[in-house]
Amino acid sequence: MTATGRLAGRIALVTGAGSGIGLGIGRRFAAEGATVLFTDIDGDKARIAAAEAGSHAATLDVTSEASWTEAAALVERTLGGLHILVNNAGICVPGSVEDTDFSAWRRSHAINLDGVFLGCHSLLPLMAKTTEATDLGGAILNISSVSAMVASANFASYNSSKAAVRHLTKSIALHCAKQRYAVRCNSIHPTFIDTPLIDTLAKGADHQAMIEKLARQVPIGRVGDTDDVAWAAVYLCSDEAKFVTGAELLIDGGLAAK
């Protein structure tokens, strides 16, 4: 049976896909016809998510070059190549420049920034080969944050790492264009999305109370849900965005417009 959908025929790898935004993107990609490899440092969560979507799963530590090398070999061996890479895995460690110790700073950047670099470094050669062989365009999508544009005194490491992802994305896009790869690279910049990551901000407070507090900061009057991000990811990774590269898409309910 021929696959149908906006991502039909594509093979995608999504990091941090065991929960939150990554889970939402993986599910939506599968529903749109892509063959998806759900990856997460928690392999059990990745396997549960993949089973529900009728897809594939693997354990992946985005801070480990060896883990990425294994993932590249796995996807080529079992799925035959790769068209789409979504670098979603990330953490949010609150703290000002004085409050944040160096180990927390390095951990934030290792996951949020190094993980993006390692993913692109490890998988871009396979993506270039796959897109050329299949005559289907490829896409790298890096999940940054509105915090890359709008800073906060209490999120020094998060602001820094996500801003770096924003600019790294542009460098990757220009490299792919220069090499004439059929691979585009863009970034998405969400504001508060209702995921387990919110609980790291809540510091033990009630989840719903935290959601309502955060919603008051968003001009549109609510926090986002994972589908708000997932549908944007579908667009940027499909042929509908075949002339879009090096771009950033804010999904912030108007927060950065203030």
Side-chain angles (χ1 to χ4, degrees):
M1 184 172 63
T2 302
T4 59
R6 294 162 69 186
L7 299 176
R10 263 73 172 190
I11 302 165
L13 186 156
V14 183
T15 70
S19 63
I21 290 174
L23 175 59
I25 290 175
R27 285 173 170 169
R28 187 57 61 194
F29 277 16
E32 289 297 323
T35 299
V36 183
L37 180 64
F38 286 71
T39 72
D40 201 283
I41 195 167
D42 186 330
D44 289 338
K45 283 186 177 180
R47 284 185 282 275
I48 291 169
E52 291 174 348
S55 292
H56 307 264
T59 302
L60 174 61
D61 176 358
V62 298
T63 69
S64 165
E65 187 171 9
S67 189
W68 273 110
T69 299
E70 292 173 5
L74 174 67
V75 74
E76 183 169 23
R77 182 176 68 251
T78 62
L79 302 181
L82 189 69
H83 300 92
I84 298 170
L85 170 62
V86 179
N87 288 303
N88 162 77
I91 60 171
C92 180
V93 180
S96 71
V97 68
E98 290 187 282
D99 299 333
T100 304
D101 62 42
F102 192 42
S103 62
W105 171 270
R106 293 185 68 175
R107 181 167 177 261
S108 292
H109 286 77
I111 296 172
N112 295 352
L113 176 59
D114 295 353
V116 174
F117 164 77
L118 288 171
C120 296
H121 175 78
S122 302
L123 289 174
L124 186 53
L126 177 60
M127 295 181 71
K129 182 170 70 172
T130 304
T131 53
E132 182 177 9
T134 62
D135 201 30
L136 289 171
I140 296 170
L141 182 62
N142 298 326
I143 308 302
S144 180
S145 169
V146 67
S147 294
M149 291 89 158
V150 181
S152 168
N154 293 321
F155 291 93
S157 65
Y158 190 70
N159 287 155
S160 172
S161 60
K162 290 300 188 178
V165 168
R166 176 192 184 197
H167 224 58
L168 175 59
T169 297
K170 297 178 186 299
S171 178
I172 294 165
L174 292 173
H175 169 74
C176 290
K178 183 177 181 180
Q179 296 300 119
R180 293 295 182 259
Y181 294 154
V183 179
R184 299 171 294 101
C185 185
N186 296 291
S187 58
I188 279 181
H189 300 258
T191 188
F192 313 115
I193 305 295
D194 190 358
T195 72
L197 194 64
I198 290 292
D199 294 325
T200 67
L201 306 177
K203 298 180 180 178
D206 177 72
H207 180 84
Q208 188 55 39
M210 189 65 184
I211 291 293
E212 293 171 3
K213 177 182 178 180
L214 295 174
R216 291 193 288 272
Q217 300 179 44
V218 182
I220 209 169
R222 68 171 178 89
V223 302
D225 58 50
T226 57
D227 248 2
D228 290 325
V229 182
W231 279 121
V234 169
Y235 163 69
L236 285 172
C237 293
S238 74
D239 283 342
E240 297 162 21
K242 64 182 182 296
F243 199 56
V244 180
T245 194
E248 55 211 25
L249 178 56
L250 278 158
I251 305 175
D252 70 341
L255 184 64
K258 293 195 296 182

